[in-house]
Structure formats: structure tokens, C-alpha cells
Amino acid sequence: MSFSRKCSGHTRLVLGLLASSFVMTGCPPRVTKPSSDSTPPVVKWNVFNHGTNESQDFTGNAKVTAKRGDLFRVTLKVEDPEGVSMLSLGSSSQWTCVSGGVAQSSGPSLDKTDVQTFQPDSSGKVLTSSFLMRDANLDFKCQQSGFTFSGGSVSFFGTGENYFKGKTQATLVLEAKP
């Protein structure tokens, strides 16, 4: 039986759209899992500011200066030409408000860490890259009236690991000034 007889018109449309999106965006390449890997993965960041529609790319540790109230989409991408076995993304936020000579701090608050792990497929092939995304809202609020925001940050902690325990960790800090 042909594919078109098994699927309704709506299903064929959805599958066609999905297939075209894979062609446009590209699937991460797969390679045969090697017998060794002497280099750790590369950790990259993409920071997209929803308010300005500006995007910045970084490799390794990075810091972005922002404004209170900015909203970002942060993407962690881990790449290794011999295969990625795990990536994780966690975050933490903290800020300070002041009134006269009194400071009031909030945080650091640790958010849930997202973890993806991978295994070779049935053909022994492994992914060479993967990503995780998270939003960051820098709308820090002072807890008591009369206090003024004096600064804060959201820190992201990214880790990538290959199949031979090569590991890379990197931190991205979004720092907000008043």
C-alpha cells in the first residue's frame, strides 16, 4: 500500500510540513561512535533579546549586559564531531534592592537543571550536536516598598560530555543594571 493511501490529506500535510522543516533547519549529523575521543565537546550559547530582536553568539564563558525587564531566550548548543552523549542546562538568579544604607538581597535561587542523555542508535550512530533552550526574564522586583533595584543577574550553567567522559562546562551571565 502506498503512503498516500495510509494517510489522510491532513496527515500528509502535517508530515509534509514536518519533513520540509527538517530540510530547512537540518537534522544534526550522526556519525559512527568512535573507539576513542581525545577532545571534549564545545559549548556554545545563543542569546536572543525578545525586545530588540537582536541575537548574540558566544563560545565558552560569556557575559551579557542587559537592562532590568529584558526578556531573553538562551540556547545552549553542545557540539563534538565524535558524538555528544550528554548535555545539561541549569540557571540561577539573584538581585539586590537598596533603601538608604540598607540592602535587601534575593537569591541566589537555583532552578531545575535540564539534562539530555543520548545512546548510539541501532546502527551505532551518534549525534554530533544537540541543544537546550530556556527563557530568562530580568524583571527583578523589590520585596518592600521604598527599595530601589540596584542590580541583578541570571546565570546559566551549561555542560556537554562525549562518550569518553570528555566534559566541557561554561557559564553565561545576563547582568542587569538599574
Side-chain angles (χ1 to χ4, degrees):
M1 204 184 261
S2 74
F3 174 76
S4 61
R5 289 187 195 149
K6 290 182 183 177
C7 298
S8 69
H10 181 266
T11 303
R12 283 194 309 270
L13 174 63
V14 170
L15 291 173
L17 289 172
L18 284 172
S20 66
S21 72
F22 283 123
V23 169
M24 288 188 288
T25 60
C27 291
R30 290 183 173 265
V31 298
T32 301
K33 181 182 168 190
S35 58
S36 67
D37 184 353
S38 61
T39 59
V42 175
V43 173
K44 296 182 177 184
W45 302 99
N46 175 269
V47 180
F48 176 78
N49 184 319
H50 285 282
T52 63
N53 288 327
E54 293 179 3
S55 181
Q56 298 179 51
D57 293 310
F58 304 97
T59 301
N61 295 326
K63 183 186 240 182
V64 174
T65 301
K67 298 185 315 264
R68 179 181 176 197
D70 282 349
L71 177 62
F72 293 94
R73 180 186 63 230
V74 173
T75 305
L76 165 74
K77 184 174 183 183
V78 174
E79 300 174 340
D80 191 317
E82 288 81 35
V84 172
S85 68
M86 185 278 299
L87 69 153
S88 67
L89 176 61
S91 61
S92 174
S93 58
Q94 62 184 22
W95 65 96
T96 303
C97 297
V98 295
S99 177
V102 177
Q104 176 189 63
S105 295
S106 296
S109 65
L110 289 174
D111 299 319
K112 178 181 174 271
T113 299
D114 297 317
V115 179
Q116 283 186 346
T117 57
F118 305 101
Q119 296 297 323
D121 66 16
S122 60
S123 301
K125 302 279 187 181
V126 295
L127 289 172
T128 59
S129 67
S130 189
F131 67 93
L132 290 168
M133 298 170 73
R134 191 172 280 186
D135 285 334
N137 186 346
L138 277 56
D139 189 22
F140 302 114
K141 299 202 184 308
C142 295
Q143 301 298 319
Q144 295 177 332
S145 67
F147 280 76
T148 307
F149 174 76
S150 65
S153 63
V154 177
S155 299
F156 292 88
F157 314 103
T159 302
E161 189 172 315
N162 64 28
Y163 287 93
F164 298 91
K165 302 300 179 199
K167 186 184 281 189
T168 302
Q169 296 177 316
T171 302
L172 168 71
V173 178
L174 304 176
E175 185 175 64
K177 304 280 184 182

